[in-house]
Amino acid sequence: MGPYDSSVSAGSSSGSSSSCSVKPADPIDGLLAGAGYRVRSSELRQVAQRLERLETVMINAPTEVSHLANDAVHYNPSDLASWVDSLLSELHQPEIAPDPSTFSDLNYIAHAQGGPVLVNPMVGHCELSSGTEIEEDSGIRLVHVLMTCAESVHRGELSLAASFIEELQGLLTSVDGERGIGKVAGYFIDALSRRVFAPQEASLAGSAFENAVLYHHFYEACPYLKFAHFTANQAILEAFDGHDCVHVIDFNLMHGLQWPALIQALALRPGGPPLLRLTGIGPPSPDGHDSLREIGLRLAELARSVNVRFAFRGVAASRLDDVKPWMLQVNPKEVIAVNSIMQLHKLLGSDPSRGSPIDPVLEWIRNLNPKIVMVVEQEANHNQPEFLDRFTEALHYYSTMFDSLEACSAQLEKSLAEMYIQREICNVVCCEGLARVERHEPLDKWRDRLGGAGFTSLHLGSNAFKQASMLLTLFSAEGYCVEENEGCLTLGWHSRPLIAASAWQAMPVLQHPLPLINHHQNVI
Amino acid sequence: MVNLLQNGDVCMEELEEEAPMFCINDNEDVLVEILRRLDGRSLGSAACVCKMWCGIARNDALWEHLCFRHVSPPPSGVRPVVVALGGYRRLYMVCLRPVLSRLGRMRVGLGGGESDLVRRVWTRQEVELSLSLFCVDYYERLLGGGGKLTDAPASSLMFLCKTVNV
């Protein structure tokens, strides 16, 4: 049964995967407990691998471990995890240059439901050079200390956290900071140190212009935004079928990159294009420069080139809940599409006096009676009340995202896209209260929320799925996957969904009850 | 060569007399018909032969034929849109060719050159996607040029130019 037998006297530890049922609490593995060893089920694989490594070290360097046979060294082997850790850290490891190409940071952070399980599914583990093990070990240690640091921040022990941050910065030098776990960890360490040392200026929010530039490069470096735009456009196109007067309300115009494709598709639709109105919401621009209007002008130029009657209106608002429905000037005869790409989660922060802005916003959206509401959101749970849960979840999520970004070969786009992601990370990790706007919630929660606000789900058709799949094959990286989830589409990296697109329709508003009842009451 | 003289006699001339030269450059319509049947790469090469060929090969109608001759049914009403967004030649070079070669390679496997693209039937959805990407390209050139159209390919389509790690 392999090396496990020599180190563990009993227990079918090969049942590490089968006996371990992942529960929210951290249960002790029952089989090993029967043999007198206390190991948490979530740590079984990690312990097993370390035991393997210990065996390799012991075989390769018997002189170094001979002292174990002579001295009375008191380690408590029943806590197997710390026993093997302490043994390993005692023994010398040879220094060989690391070979980081054999793994990605995903290997370090598994997608377990419990705590941070560190998994390294490398095949032929014992045959690899110990240099790889150094890198892997440093990487594992890095994540381990990162999590411990987050835990101390969670408990409010800031001086302890500060010392961990120093240790982390030292550990960073022993991993490759340009890729994999080193890169992601670097950003998280940076975010934690901002939170611990400079909480006032922790948020990395830049000017609207900077944000738009970073957004544009994020659009180019990876397919998430393209997927969002194309899927949304397909659904909107189908919703607008047969209507001649259509109005799109975009909750975050940016450079308007989504709309050329819709304008072109409307230009080519059978029966001719409708009159298209676009209302773009965006942050106010400083120094009198009207960036919303400029984007509107470009879009109008494009629409004119392809003979689509087009009208643009810009609504400048620094927050979505500052927008009032009258600013949108909807016409009762037109068919409305509301388009929200990663905006609704910003409304989930709640002010003790006013409550969450999401509810009034959803209400006025519904009162517009839109034909379709497109909602695209990050598929992550970054809005949990406990800091440690958010941190862990964010570490998983952004590691996956950085992993997918590795494939991008355009260096400038990639660096700026990373800066864009870094801002999100900082907001999730450093900010609290109303300053924390990146409150991502998973699709199921959005389903409940939108359902409760009076919306019904519209299934995104097979055309949207086919188009998304086709778009994905155009990207050179092989790991992207489009999945269908009860009528919604998700785009992910290696089966971890990262972004979810869903379409909604307002349920018809109930009529007021008949006045007959009041009449009877008056009579009585 | 046999000559018919004015007096009705027939006279045999020397066979050194050259046969009537058929010069393709004198028969532009034949040239166009031939070029219409080429694939994109050959058409591009043809444009390098001489100035006259260049002028003919750059005729957007030829590229229109190239773009959509294997689309069934052929898309209608597309021409004004494509022309407004930059023309069929640009559509082919910047969007259709990379999209179709990428998608074709995914389906068929490695290998197969430009000639495979010629024979393959393109689905309506592939064409629609290419048109959408073409429109984004136009828009980005509008944005980048500050209102004036530049000719460089926009960065949003750069991902199409990169080789596939299959």
Side-chain angles (χ1 to χ4, degrees), chain A residues 104-133:
Chain A
S104 73
D105 51 331
L106 277 181
N107 289 345
Y108 296 100
I109 303 167
H111 310 295
Q113 280 168 298
V117 176
L118 303 173
V119 173
N120 194 333
M122 281 196 293
V123 176
H125 177 94
C126 295
E127 290 133 34
L128 288 166
S129 69
S130 10
T132 328
E133 292 174 14

mmCIF file of all heavy atoms in Angstrom, chain A residues 104-133:
data_model
loop_
_atom_site.group_PDB
_atom_site.id
_atom_site.type_symbol
_atom_site.label_atom_id
_atom_site.label_comp_id
_atom_site.label_asym_id
_atom_site.label_seq_id
_atom_site.Cartn_x
_atom_site.Cartn_y
_atom_site.Cartn_z
ATOM 1 N N SER A 104 0.527 24.603 -11.023
ATOM 2 C CA SER A 104 -0.032 25.946 -10.956
ATOM 3 C C SER A 104 -0.457 26.188 -9.517
ATOM 4 O O SER A 104 -0.455 25.287 -8.701
ATOM 5 C CB SER A 104 -1.242 26.051 -11.872
ATOM 6 O OG SER A 104 -2.315 25.346 -11.311
ATOM 7 N N ASP A 105 -0.838 27.422 -9.279
ATOM 8 C CA ASP A 105 -1.194 27.722 -7.896
ATOM 9 C C ASP A 105 -2.458 26.997 -7.477
ATOM 10 O O ASP A 105 -2.756 26.882 -6.309
ATOM 11 C CB ASP A 105 -1.342 29.228 -7.686
ATOM 12 C CG ASP A 105 -2.255 29.820 -8.723
ATOM 13 O OD1 ASP A 105 -2.324 29.292 -9.840
ATOM 14 O OD2 ASP A 105 -2.892 30.841 -8.434
ATOM 15 N N LEU A 106 -3.205 26.467 -8.476
ATOM 16 C CA LEU A 106 -4.388 25.717 -8.118
ATOM 17 C C LEU A 106 -4.020 24.485 -7.324
ATOM 18 O O LEU A 106 -4.809 23.978 -6.546
ATOM 19 C CB LEU A 106 -5.138 25.267 -9.369
ATOM 20 C CG LEU A 106 -6.066 26.294 -9.981
ATOM 21 C CD1 LEU A 106 -6.742 25.701 -11.189
ATOM 22 C CD2 LEU A 106 -7.101 26.725 -8.972
ATOM 23 N N ASN A 107 -2.817 23.967 -7.573
ATOM 24 C CA ASN A 107 -2.412 22.790 -6.843
ATOM 25 C C ASN A 107 -2.298 23.052 -5.369
ATOM 26 O O ASN A 107 -2.370 22.138 -4.570
ATOM 27 C CB ASN A 107 -1.053 22.294 -7.343
ATOM 28 C CG ASN A 107 -1.179 21.700 -8.733
ATOM 29 O OD1 ASN A 107 -2.283 21.416 -9.172
ATOM 30 N ND2 ASN A 107 -0.081 21.538 -9.409
ATOM 31 N N TYR A 108 -2.079 24.301 -5.045
ATOM 32 C CA TYR A 108 -1.918 24.620 -3.642
ATOM 33 C C TYR A 108 -3.246 24.829 -2.951
ATOM 34 O O TYR A 108 -3.415 24.588 -1.788
ATOM 35 C CB TYR A 108 -1.077 25.879 -3.473
ATOM 36 C CG TYR A 108 0.323 25.696 -3.979
ATOM 37 C CD1 TYR A 108 0.691 26.173 -5.212
ATOM 38 C CD2 TYR A 108 1.253 25.020 -3.216
ATOM 39 C CE1 TYR A 108 1.968 25.983 -5.674
ATOM 40 C CE2 TYR A 108 2.535 24.838 -3.680
ATOM 41 C CZ TYR A 108 2.887 25.321 -4.907
ATOM 42 O OH TYR A 108 4.151 25.146 -5.371
ATOM 43 N N ILE A 109 -4.154 25.304 -3.658
ATOM 44 C CA ILE A 109 -5.410 25.669 -3.029
ATOM 45 C C ILE A 109 -6.515 24.876 -3.686
ATOM 46 O O ILE A 109 -6.887 25.137 -4.807
ATOM 47 C CB ILE A 109 -5.683 27.162 -3.204
ATOM 48 C CG1 ILE A 109 -4.504 27.938 -2.631
ATOM 49 C CG2 ILE A 109 -6.937 27.535 -2.487
ATOM 50 C CD1 ILE A 109 -4.532 29.371 -3.031
ATOM 51 N N ALA A 110 -6.977 23.885 -2.975
ATOM 52 C CA ALA A 110 -8.021 23.048 -3.561
ATOM 53 C C ALA A 110 -9.368 23.644 -3.263
ATOM 54 O O ALA A 110 -9.543 24.446 -2.370
ATOM 55 C CB ALA A 110 -7.921 21.637 -3.006
ATOM 56 N N HIS A 111 -10.313 23.197 -4.027
ATOM 57 C CA HIS A 111 -11.638 23.774 -3.850
ATOM 58 C C HIS A 111 -12.434 22.949 -2.880
ATOM 59 O O HIS A 111 -13.397 22.296 -3.245
ATOM 60 C CB HIS A 111 -12.331 23.840 -5.207
ATOM 61 C CG HIS A 111 -11.459 24.471 -6.244
ATOM 62 N ND1 HIS A 111 -11.074 25.777 -6.164
ATOM 63 C CD2 HIS A 111 -10.884 23.971 -7.363
ATOM 64 C CE1 HIS A 111 -10.300 26.043 -7.192
ATOM 65 N NE2 HIS A 111 -10.170 24.996 -7.935
ATOM 66 N N ALA A 112 -12.001 22.949 -1.654
ATOM 67 C CA ALA A 112 -12.716 22.176 -0.648
ATOM 68 C C ALA A 112 -13.745 23.047 0.020
ATOM 69 O O ALA A 112 -13.632 24.257 0.056
ATOM 70 C CB ALA A 112 -11.727 21.634 0.371
ATOM 71 N N GLN A 113 -14.740 22.429 0.527
ATOM 72 C CA GLN A 113 -15.753 23.196 1.229
ATOM 73 C C GLN A 113 -15.288 23.594 2.609
ATOM 74 O O GLN A 113 -15.762 24.558 3.171
ATOM 75 C CB GLN A 113 -17.027 22.384 1.380
ATOM 76 C CG GLN A 113 -17.868 22.378 0.141
ATOM 77 C CD GLN A 113 -18.935 21.344 0.260
ATOM 78 O OE1 GLN A 113 -18.647 20.159 0.378
ATOM 79 N NE2 GLN A 113 -20.167 21.756 0.274
ATOM 80 N N GLY A 114 -14.381 22.820 3.166
ATOM 81 C CA GLY A 114 -13.917 23.132 4.516
ATOM 82 C C GLY A 114 -12.859 24.203 4.484
ATOM 83 O O GLY A 114 -12.865 25.067 3.637
ATOM 84 N N GLY A 115 -11.924 24.107 5.349
ATOM 85 C CA GLY A 115 -10.878 25.110 5.409
ATOM 86 C C GLY A 115 -9.928 24.983 4.240
ATOM 87 O O GLY A 115 -10.188 24.269 3.291
ATOM 88 N N PRO A 116 -8.822 25.665 4.267
ATOM 89 C CA PRO A 116 -7.891 25.617 3.145
ATOM 90 C C PRO A 116 -7.154 24.285 3.102
ATOM 91 O O PRO A 116 -6.238 24.060 3.857
ATOM 92 C CB PRO A 116 -6.930 26.758 3.429
ATOM 93 C CG PRO A 116 -6.989 26.933 4.903
ATOM 94 C CD PRO A 116 -8.362 26.541 5.343
ATOM 95 N N VAL A 117 -7.583 23.417 2.228
ATOM 96 C CA VAL A 117 -6.906 22.134 2.069
ATOM 97 C C VAL A 117 -5.823 22.316 1.027
ATOM 98 O O VAL A 117 -6.086 22.791 -0.058
ATOM 99 C CB VAL A 117 -7.890 21.054 1.593
ATOM 100 C CG1 VAL A 117 -7.154 19.753 1.339
ATOM 101 C CG2 VAL A 117 -8.973 20.865 2.629
ATOM 102 N N LEU A 118 -4.621 21.948 1.358
ATOM 103 C CA LEU A 118 -3.533 22.140 0.411
ATOM 104 C C LEU A 118 -3.263 20.822 -0.269
ATOM 105 O O LEU A 118 -2.889 19.847 0.359
ATOM 106 C CB LEU A 118 -2.288 22.628 1.149
ATOM 107 C CG LEU A 118 -2.569 23.914 1.921
ATOM 108 C CD1 LEU A 118 -1.390 24.288 2.771
ATOM 109 C CD2 LEU A 118 -2.887 25.046 0.965
ATOM 110 N N VAL A 119 -3.478 20.806 -1.547
ATOM 111 C CA VAL A 119 -3.390 19.553 -2.279
ATOM 112 C C VAL A 119 -2.359 19.696 -3.368
ATOM 113 O O VAL A 119 -2.320 20.689 -4.066
ATOM 114 C CB VAL A 119 -4.745 19.223 -2.931
ATOM 115 C CG1 VAL A 119 -4.627 18.020 -3.835
ATOM 116 C CG2 VAL A 119 -5.766 18.979 -1.844
ATOM 117 N N ASN A 120 -1.525 18.739 -3.526
ATOM 118 C CA ASN A 120 -0.605 18.795 -4.654
ATOM 119 C C ASN A 120 -0.722 17.511 -5.445
ATOM 120 O O ASN A 120 -0.068 16.523 -5.141
ATOM 121 C CB ASN A 120 0.823 18.974 -4.136
ATOM 122 C CG ASN A 120 1.731 19.373 -5.263
ATOM 123 O OD1 ASN A 120 1.458 19.050 -6.416
ATOM 124 N ND2 ASN A 120 2.782 20.073 -4.946
ATOM 125 N N PRO A 121 -1.584 17.505 -6.439
ATOM 126 C CA PRO A 121 -1.832 16.238 -7.138
ATOM 127 C C PRO A 121 -0.792 15.920 -8.204
ATOM 128 O O PRO A 121 -1.135 15.648 -9.330
ATOM 129 C CB PRO A 121 -3.208 16.470 -7.750
ATOM 130 C CG PRO A 121 -3.226 17.919 -8.023
ATOM 131 C CD PRO A 121 -2.426 18.570 -6.922
ATOM 132 N N MET A 122 0.458 16.011 -7.866
ATOM 133 C CA MET A 122 1.476 15.683 -8.863
ATOM 134 C C MET A 122 1.668 14.180 -8.920
ATOM 135 O O MET A 122 1.762 13.519 -7.907
ATOM 136 C CB MET A 122 2.796 16.353 -8.499
ATOM 137 C CG MET A 122 2.818 17.826 -8.883
ATOM 138 S SD MET A 122 4.474 18.477 -8.871
ATOM 139 C CE MET A 122 4.849 18.406 -7.141
ATOM 140 N N VAL A 123 1.761 13.712 -10.106
ATOM 141 C CA VAL A 123 1.954 12.269 -10.282
ATOM 142 C C VAL A 123 3.413 11.932 -10.095
ATOM 143 O O VAL A 123 4.288 12.699 -10.444
ATOM 144 C CB VAL A 123 1.491 11.871 -11.699
ATOM 145 C CG1 VAL A 123 1.761 10.412 -11.968
ATOM 146 C CG2 VAL A 123 0.024 12.185 -11.862
ATOM 147 N N GLY A 124 3.677 10.782 -9.542
ATOM 148 C CA GLY A 124 5.074 10.381 -9.399
ATOM 149 C C GLY A 124 5.809 11.310 -8.463
ATOM 150 O O GLY A 124 6.913 11.734 -8.716
ATOM 151 N N HIS A 125 5.188 11.608 -7.415
ATOM 152 C CA HIS A 125 5.707 12.590 -6.450
ATOM 153 C C HIS A 125 7.138 12.305 -6.048
ATOM 154 O O HIS A 125 7.982 13.176 -6.028
ATOM 155 C CB HIS A 125 4.766 12.594 -5.252
ATOM 156 C CG HIS A 125 5.197 13.479 -4.154
ATOM 157 N ND1 HIS A 125 4.749 14.773 -4.042
ATOM 158 C CD2 HIS A 125 6.041 13.286 -3.134
ATOM 159 C CE1 HIS A 125 5.288 15.312 -2.980
ATOM 160 N NE2 HIS A 125 6.079 14.441 -2.403
ATOM 161 N N CYS A 126 7.426 11.062 -5.710
ATOM 162 C CA CYS A 126 8.756 10.771 -5.171
ATOM 163 C C CYS A 126 9.838 10.847 -6.217
ATOM 164 O O CYS A 126 11.010 10.958 -5.896
ATOM 165 C CB CYS A 126 8.754 9.388 -4.518
ATOM 166 S SG CYS A 126 7.682 9.338 -3.098
ATOM 167 N N GLU A 127 9.462 10.783 -7.496
ATOM 168 C CA GLU A 127 10.512 10.796 -8.502
ATOM 169 C C GLU A 127 10.937 12.196 -8.875
ATOM 170 O O GLU A 127 11.936 12.387 -9.528
ATOM 171 C CB GLU A 127 10.029 10.091 -9.772
ATOM 172 C CG GLU A 127 9.867 8.610 -9.589
ATOM 173 C CD GLU A 127 8.534 8.158 -10.153
ATOM 174 O OE1 GLU A 127 8.105 8.746 -11.161
ATOM 175 O OE2 GLU A 127 7.931 7.237 -9.597
ATOM 176 N N LEU A 128 10.199 13.191 -8.491
ATOM 177 C CA LEU A 128 10.547 14.555 -8.884
ATOM 178 C C LEU A 128 11.774 15.027 -8.124
ATOM 179 O O LEU A 128 12.066 14.570 -7.037
ATOM 180 C CB LEU A 128 9.382 15.497 -8.602
ATOM 181 C CG LEU A 128 8.215 15.305 -9.550
ATOM 182 C CD1 LEU A 128 6.997 16.008 -9.029
ATOM 183 C CD2 LEU A 128 8.557 15.812 -10.930
ATOM 184 N N SER A 129 12.439 15.991 -8.713
ATOM 185 C CA SER A 129 13.620 16.516 -8.048
ATOM 186 C C SER A 129 13.196 17.214 -6.770
ATOM 187 O O SER A 129 12.113 17.771 -6.682
ATOM 188 C CB SER A 129 14.326 17.511 -8.959
ATOM 189 O OG SER A 129 13.525 18.659 -9.092
ATOM 190 N N SER A 130 14.068 17.204 -5.812
ATOM 191 C CA SER A 130 13.702 17.851 -4.553
ATOM 192 C C SER A 130 13.611 19.350 -4.718
ATOM 193 O O SER A 130 13.084 20.035 -3.872
ATOM 194 C CB SER A 130 14.700 17.494 -3.458
ATOM 195 O OG SER A 130 15.798 16.840 -4.004
ATOM 196 N N GLY A 131 14.156 19.856 -5.845
ATOM 197 C CA GLY A 131 14.012 21.288 -6.084
ATOM 198 C C GLY A 131 12.557 21.669 -6.234
ATOM 199 O O GLY A 131 12.099 22.676 -5.716
ATOM 200 N N THR A 132 11.832 20.815 -6.942
ATOM 201 C CA THR A 132 10.409 21.083 -7.100
ATOM 202 C C THR A 132 9.718 21.039 -5.754
ATOM 203 O O THR A 132 8.798 21.784 -5.484
ATOM 204 C CB THR A 132 9.780 20.004 -7.993
ATOM 205 O OG1 THR A 132 10.750 19.581 -8.930
ATOM 206 C CG2 THR A 132 8.581 20.546 -8.707
ATOM 207 N N GLU A 133 10.227 20.153 -4.935
ATOM 208 C CA GLU A 133 9.624 20.041 -3.612
ATOM 209 C C GLU A 133 9.911 21.282 -2.789
ATOM 210 O O GLU A 133 9.099 21.694 -1.985
ATOM 211 C CB GLU A 133 10.149 18.798 -2.901
ATOM 212 C CG GLU A 133 9.657 17.534 -3.588
ATOM 213 C CD GLU A 133 10.269 16.280 -3.009
ATOM 214 O OE1 GLU A 133 10.866 16.356 -1.919
ATOM 215 O OE2 GLU A 133 10.159 15.236 -3.642
#
